[in-house]
Amino acid sequence: EPVSTVTGFDYGFTNNGSMSSRGVELGIMGRLMNKSLKWDMGVNISNYKTEILGIPGDRLLNEYAGATILTQKGMDANLFYGYRTNGIFTSTAEVNAANLQNRRADGTITQFQAGDVRFVDLNDDGFIDADDREVIGNPNPRYRGMLSNVLSYKRFSFDAIFTFTGGNDIYNSVRRGLESMNGTQNQTLKMVGRWKTEGQVTDVPRASFGDPNENARFSDRWIEDGSYIRLRTLSVAYDVPIKNVGIKSARVYLTGNNLFTVSNYLGYDPEFSATSSIFTQGVDTGLEPQFRTVQLGVRIGL
């Protein structure tokens, strides 16, 4: 928390916060078939809710990779805190009718133009500034779970494990860098459809070097649904009949990990955090995604 400047530090570590976590977890497993073909299935799903009960100043704002992370009393922990958008100004007439101005952090005022992002004026004061920020996403899943299946027939066995989450958001910092259009770096092909002429209807703002009206600021443009279902493990095995006295058992197996993921997230991987810190959960800064592996092996028991 903030400390006096006479200490020579901006912040100090204290133990003055408290949080409550409540949830429910349900697990069930059983044998669905028990004949020559045996089929065991298990399902596990959990839901939890955290609430900040106390924190110095009742709120804490952290900055990481251009994002603002809010932790506030009475709310969930580590929420994405930024600007809400409402489309693109298609014409100068729309800009004039909105009667909005952009107030930058240094206090300078810039005028919105056709092709700029239409940000929501939360306090209705005619200016888009830090006072118009609100919670725009939550990296904490509403639920998460696992589905497992084990089938066996004679000497063959088949295992499959799926994992999933729902209701969690991701800040796509990589896409923000590749779609901000404020410099000379490469951009995605989506930028071909950017606003160019009066009356054009699009969801991509105009290109403006240096981004004077801050179209690329931290907003819900960069927040995506992080829900997914992933085939975590798939394994097929065969127990080889053994007649050699020196070998008790032998199994040949083929195992694949992270074989496919179903998700609407536009990045490489919806399941990771940028660092080990709790404040970077659900932040995609372009780290290496989980990779797919396939293993073929033989296990021998002596």
Side-chain angles (χ1 to χ4, degrees):
E1 61 181 306
V3 295
S4 173
T5 55
V6 300
T7 64
F9 299 94
D10 294 325
Y11 297 92
F13 290 102
T14 67
N15 192 25
N16 294 336
S18 60
M19 181 178 71
S20 170
S21 293
R22 294 185 176 91
V24 60
E25 181 173 352
L26 174 66
I28 184 171
M29 63 188 313
R31 177 157 290 183
L32 304 183
M33 297 181 66
N34 194 27
K35 297 183 179 180
S36 57
L37 174 65
K38 295 179 174 60
W39 180 12
D40 297 325
M41 177 182 287
V43 178
N44 178 278
I45 188 168
S46 63
N47 167 272
Y48 70 92
K49 176 69 175 178
T50 62
E51 181 183 355
I52 303 301
L53 301 179
I55 194 168
D58 289 341
R59 65 172 357 199
L60 177 67
L61 293 176
N62 286 276
E63 303 289 334
Y64 183 81
T68 302
I69 313 298
L70 169 69
T71 299
Q72 182 168 315
K73 183 178 179 180
M75 302 176 68
D76 210 341
N78 309 325
L79 303 174
F80 296 131
Y81 188 64
Y83 297 85
R84 191 76 59 183
T85 62
N86 186 26
I88 306 296
F89 287 117
T90 63
S91 64
T92 303
E94 276 192 12
V95 175
N96 294 336
N99 194 29
L100 285 176
Q101 294 178 303
N102 179 51
R103 180 153 51 199
R104 301 171 66 95
D106 60 4
T108 58
I109 305 297
T110 59
Q111 306 296 323
F112 285 108
Q113 301 179 28
D116 284 333
V117 175
R118 182 194 289 113
F119 295 100
V120 175
D121 185 11
L122 195 63
N123 58 5
D124 201 27
D125 65 352
F127 293 95
I128 301 299
D129 54 24
D131 293 335
D132 295 305
R133 293 178 297 175
E134 60 178 315
V135 174
I136 57 175
N138 188 341
N140 304 294
R142 282 198 296 270
Y143 61 87
R144 65 177 74 220
M146 179 188 72
L147 171 66
S148 64
N149 285 276
V150 179
L151 288 88
S152 58
Y153 178 74
K154 295 184 178 179
R155 292 183 175 276
F156 290 93
S157 63
F158 173 89
D159 300 348
I161 296 177
F162 293 85
T163 57
F164 58 88
T165 67
N168 55 299
D169 295 311
I170 296 179
Y171 163 45
N172 195 336
S173 175
V174 176
R175 186 166 66 82
R176 180 183 181 183
L178 294 174
E179 295 183 0
S180 59
M181 294 185 296
N182 60 359
T184 58
Q185 66 271 27
N186 287 337
Q187 302 287 278
T188 67
L189 287 175
K190 186 175 182 179
M191 301 303 96
V192 175
R194 67 187 181 277
W195 185 94
K196 304 182 188 72
T197 60
E198 287 277 335
Q200 179 183 354
V201 178
T202 178
D203 61 348
V204 183
R206 66 188 177 95
S208 55
F209 189 81
D211 196 17
N213 287 334
E214 301 177 300
N215 290 319
R217 75 186 76 190
F218 184 57
S219 70
D220 57 7
R221 290 181 61 200
W222 318 119
I223 304 299
E224 301 182 29
D225 181 12
S227 305
Y228 72 88
I229 180 169
R230 164 171 280 159
L231 178 54
R232 179 75 59 185
T233 303
L234 179 65
S235 179
V236 180
Y238 176 71
D239 291 321
V240 181
I242 298 297
K243 295 182 180 180
N244 191 319
V245 179
I247 299 177
K248 293 183 178 180
S249 64
R251 165 172 283 203
V252 179
Y253 63 90
L254 178 65
T255 301
N257 298 303
N258 299 319
L259 294 182
F260 72 82
T261 303
V262 178
S263 175
N264 290 326
Y265 181 58
L266 297 176
Y268 285 123
D269 193 340
E271 185 191 15
F272 68 94
S273 293
T275 72
S276 59
S277 169
I278 60 173
F279 298 115
T280 62
Q281 179 181 350
V283 177
D284 182 358
T285 55
L287 300 182
E288 181 179 337
Q290 298 183 66
F291 46 84
R292 182 183 299 114
T293 61
V294 177
Q295 298 171 318
L296 175 62
V298 178
R299 180 176 297 167
I300 298 176
L302 301 176

